[in-house]
Amino acid sequence: MRSRSMIMAAVLMVAGVWSLSAHAESTIRIGVLEFGTVNWELDVIKRHGLDEKQGIQIDQVNLASNQATTVALQAGEVDMIVSDWLWVSRQRASGKTYTFVPFSSSVGTLMVPPDSDIRSLADLKGKKIAIAGGPLDKGWLLLRGLAERNYGLDLEAESEQVFGAPPLLAKKAMQGEVDAVLNYWHYSARLEAKGFRQVIGGNEAAMELGADGPISAVGYVFDEGWAAQNTETAKAFFDASREAKTLLRTSNEEWETLREKTGAEDDETLQALRDRFREGIPSRPLSEERDDTAKVYEVLAEIGGEKLVGKAKRMAPGTFWSILVDGS
């Protein structure tokens, strides 16, 4: 009798260990900025139980800055973050095995006041331009490349640039302290709601420079080693992500629920944020987006040089997660 009890106890212990292990493998720790737009998607996933439907659990870790997210990923404190493909490619070129799945193609947009005489890049000569992201911002480099090609205009030399934090630059634009502002998409959407006008967006510039369609600015980034051990969990997360994007694309009610999270102070701002977010939902085959991103990478490498991309002149193979690219 005692022997049977011991056997049953051992079986229950093994079952418990297996259950804990299965739970651990189905949990994804995602490091995000506390007020980042990816939170909107994660909120939809959790509120509608899309994670439970896919048999996964999302552990959201709020972090203070983009640098903090990359540090957390490299330290193994989180499994996944949101970053861009330039960072992933540079890491892969140095021997790391991070990879990328698109989240959004919404990118920075050059905005001007409604009464501005700026209609094209050619009109930026001699103007004061506020730029978020610093001198190596992808959008700024693409605008520089396009201005040089189309108008023979060296924007870096023939305009005045002001670099700073996105909220500060948006405020400067509202106060008329700059002639134009190139800001992250959600700050541009807020300016749009105030009557500002779009001159050109980063994806429009990318397509004029060789891309066949929009490419994602940011995406989910994780290590291939982790993904190899948790392939089904990772796929399940991206299935949940797609379902959430479908709701955000089709349901205005979802945006009413998200109003507080977006920080929209009025209906016009909420609508602008909703419409621009929807425009950025990736819809192209991943292989096409990967190939176009590789083209844009070469343009950026030529303009930004080693400071931007390191020594690699071409996007590193595997920058986009091959499992999804190949559809396997």
Side-chain angles (χ1 to χ4, degrees):
M1 194 70 179
R2 182 180 178 186
S3 176
R4 181 179 296 177
S5 298
M6 292 176 65
I7 291 171
M8 285 299 296
V11 169
L12 290 172
M13 183 179 294
V14 170
V17 169
W18 180 87
S19 176
L20 287 172
S21 175
H23 174 74
E25 289 178 358
S26 65
T27 299
I28 300 180
R29 299 167 299 163
I30 302 181
V32 297
L33 299 180
E34 187 172 0
F35 300 106
T37 58
V38 71
N39 288 290
W40 307 348
E41 177 171 293
L42 295 179
D43 181 84
V44 172
I45 289 174
K46 293 176 180 178
R47 202 158 23 85
H48 289 274
L50 303 179
D51 47 353
E52 295 177 8
K53 175 183 174 182
Q54 295 294 335
I56 60 174
Q57 179 176 320
I58 297 172
D59 181 6
Q60 185 172 329
V61 181
N62 292 326
L63 297 164
S65 67
N66 287 320
Q67 184 179 8
T69 65
T70 56
V71 169
L73 181 65
Q74 291 170 311
E77 294 173 3
V78 296
D79 305 311
M80 189 179 289
I81 62 171
V82 173
S83 188
D84 66 20
W85 41 264
L86 268 177
W87 184 83
V88 172
S89 180
R90 186 160 186 165
Q91 292 295 313
R92 291 186 74 88
S94 66
K96 305 294 193 303
T97 55
Y98 299 117
T99 193
F100 174 96
V101 171
F103 165 66
S104 173
S105 64
S106 293
V107 291
T109 304
L110 185 70
M111 305 292 292
V112 296
D115 58 351
S116 172
D117 60 356
I118 298 172
R119 300 288 171 180
S120 73
L121 293 178
D123 299 325
L124 292 175
K125 185 174 182 178
K127 302 294 187 181
K128 189 174 185 179
I129 311 169
I131 303 158
L136 294 178
D137 174 73
K138 295 192 298 297
W140 170 237
L141 295 178
L142 288 171
L143 294 190
R144 282 179 53 194
L146 191 59
E148 178 67 37
R149 193 197 71 175
N150 288 358
Y151 306 107
L153 175 64
D154 182 347
L155 278 178
E156 185 178 36
E158 299 183 71
S159 70
E160 180 184 353
Q161 297 102 50
V162 177
F163 302 101
L168 174 63
L169 298 186
K171 186 175 181 180
K172 284 182 177 293
M174 288 293 297
Q175 294 174 341
E177 295 181 28
V178 296
D179 298 302
V181 56
L182 178 64
N183 213 331
Y184 298 153
W185 78 266
H186 44 297
Y187 288 98
S188 295
R190 294 177 190 280
L191 289 175
E192 179 186 346
K194 303 298 183 186
F196 274 61
R197 174 169 49 83
Q198 176 177 316
V199 177
I200 187 171
N203 263 320
E204 185 181 345
M207 286 187 277
E208 286 202 42
L209 290 169
D212 292 326
I215 60 175
S216 291
V218 294
Y220 291 106
V221 175
F222 48 94
D223 192 285
E224 281 184 330
W226 171 82
Q229 296 178 359
N230 300 276
T231 304
E232 295 309 313
T233 298
K235 284 183 175 180
F237 171 75
F238 293 121
D239 285 341
S241 170
R242 277 190 291 273
E243 288 193 70
K245 285 185 173 73
T246 296
L247 286 169
L248 289 167
R249 182 192 288 116
T250 58
S251 170
N252 290 343
E253 289 73 19
E254 283 301 320
W255 289 94
E256 284 298 332
T257 305
L258 287 170
R259 180 185 288 268
E260 185 176 349
K261 250 188 196 312
T262 67
E265 61 273 17
D266 51 49
D267 290 343
E268 291 78 14
T269 301
L270 182 65
Q271 181 176 331
L273 290 169
R274 180 197 70 197
D275 293 349
R276 298 300 161 250
F277 183 95
R278 286 174 171 174
E279 283 181 3
I281 294 176
S283 59
R284 306 173 65 201
L286 200 54
S287 58
E288 292 182 11
E289 188 168 342
R290 175 202 59 194
D291 294 346
D292 275 342
T293 302
K295 294 176 189 175
V296 172
Y297 180 98
E298 292 186 24
V299 173
L300 293 173
E302 183 178 345
I303 302 170
E306 196 167 320
K307 287 183 179 179
L308 178 69
V309 299
K311 296 181 179 179
K313 301 298 183 184
R314 291 180 174 80
M315 190 173 77
T319 295
F320 281 63
W321 192 31
S322 59
I323 297 294
L324 291 190
V325 173
D326 298 336
S328 54

